[in-house]
Amino acid sequence: MKKPLFAPLILAFSVLLILVLIPNKWIEKLIPHDRVSQAATELNPFMFQGKYVQSKMLENQHFLPIFGSSELARLDRFHPANYFQVNKEGVTPFLVGRGGTESLIHFLNLAEHKDQLRGKKLVFVLSPQWFQPGGADESHFAPNFSSLQGYDFAFNNEINPVMKKKAIKRLLKFKAVSADPMLTALYDAEISNDPFAKRKAQVIKPFALMYRNLLVKKDLYYTLAGGLHRHRDISTKVKAKSWNQLEQLADQLGQKESRTNKFMIIDSQYRKLEKRIPELQNTKEGATYGRSVEYQDFQLILDLLHESGAKALFISVPVNGKWYDYVGFPKEGRKAYYTRIRQQIQKSGFSVADFSNHEYDPYFMKDTIHIGWKGWVYTDKAIEDFYEGKYKKSVSAMVKPQKNMVYTTRDAEF
């Protein structure tokens, strides 16, 4: 006797139903205890877009969250993930970000964990390239948008209502959000006085909650299954070195790895650009990072961190001065960004390690836009002082590599 053709469908549905009905606490008990440590340097987008791993990370005072974008993937011996692993036992940087994770994405992520941020020390690495006139575009926003974080934000009643409305108005400009009819309905009800929009959201709310719960369970199953498990080579060449020695090592490695060009760009990256170099000259005339909608998005982060009571250090990364001069990007357009971002952070009461005077510092940048080599040494020093509560003292007790570093803060002593 032949089995019914629909038997596999019934079996699949039964398995799915069982997986959905299993209590979340049971799944959590099965997740390995070292899963958070594994995720610390994996730069796994599923972790960024999830909830469980970051929640557990924020519970542990040994983890230091470092938020940023594509520069976090430029792992080398001077990178904070390596430096702190071999020099500071008990301090583990937890990297959050990849290319395209700009202000709005980070805001949604932080809003997800607002109740865990009070007194928490964290670091933000800022890229001038975020501050294009139009801010984040769809091609960068969509791959990094988290539906789970988006739905949790809709149901989050702990967020300041004014801040929430500002964020929703921006989020609805992206197709990754506006193309979701349930999420759009929830968001519309938050920012509209239309009774119909309010009633529509009430009808949709139970279904949206069910979907949100499914996304939570999906996150737990993914965490249980494991992440990327990338093997990261650890270099001990930066162990027990003074800051002067680290700067010298960074100079030596930078010189060795960028021999082919006058821009001091790492050779592997320069080879990708080499054929296009002539056509790129003076293509950025008249450009500026001083005017951008991204400043409004970034202010959402500052407001959220201030309201939550977090303690944050912002790293203001420069551009590669020689390269930017070559492509004709005006110095005024760069300076406008450095000044505006520093003042914006200060006004919100946070600390900023301002490296804007290192545009022409050899081997401070690894390529045209990403920090590297010596830049990471300076960043490590700023992070270490911040973490150890010596940040203000480092202004007057600066060692040689930091003689040009500018620290500003309106915070009390950490």
Side-chain angles (χ1 to χ4, degrees), residues 20-64:
V20 169
L21 293 177
I22 292 176
N24 289 354
K25 290 184 178 180
W26 292 11
I27 306 171
E28 290 178 16
K29 289 180 179 179
L30 297 174
I31 296 173
H33 294 298
D34 64 349
R35 185 66 78 231
V36 179
S37 296
Q38 290 175 353
T41 59
E42 282 183 343
L43 294 167
N44 187 340
F46 291 100
M47 179 276 295
F48 306 155
Q49 295 168 345
K51 182 176 183 178
Y52 179 83
V53 169
Q54 290 190 76
S55 292
K56 290 298 180 183
M57 176 269 291
L58 290 169
E59 291 175 3
N60 191 328
Q61 292 301 312
H62 291 303
F63 287 108
L64 176 66

Side-chain angles (χ1 to χ4, degrees), residues 187-198:
Y187 282 177
D188 282 340
E190 289 277 357
I191 61 175
S192 173
N193 293 320
D194 183 359
F196 176 75
K198 303 287 187 184

Side-chain angles (χ1 to χ4, degrees), residues 167-174 177-178 184 187-188 191:
I168 286 174
K169 288 177 181 178
R170 282 288 293 140
L171 290 167
L172 285 171
K173 294 185 180 296
F174 294 92
V177 176
S178 62
T184 299
Y187 282 177
D188 282 340
I191 61 175

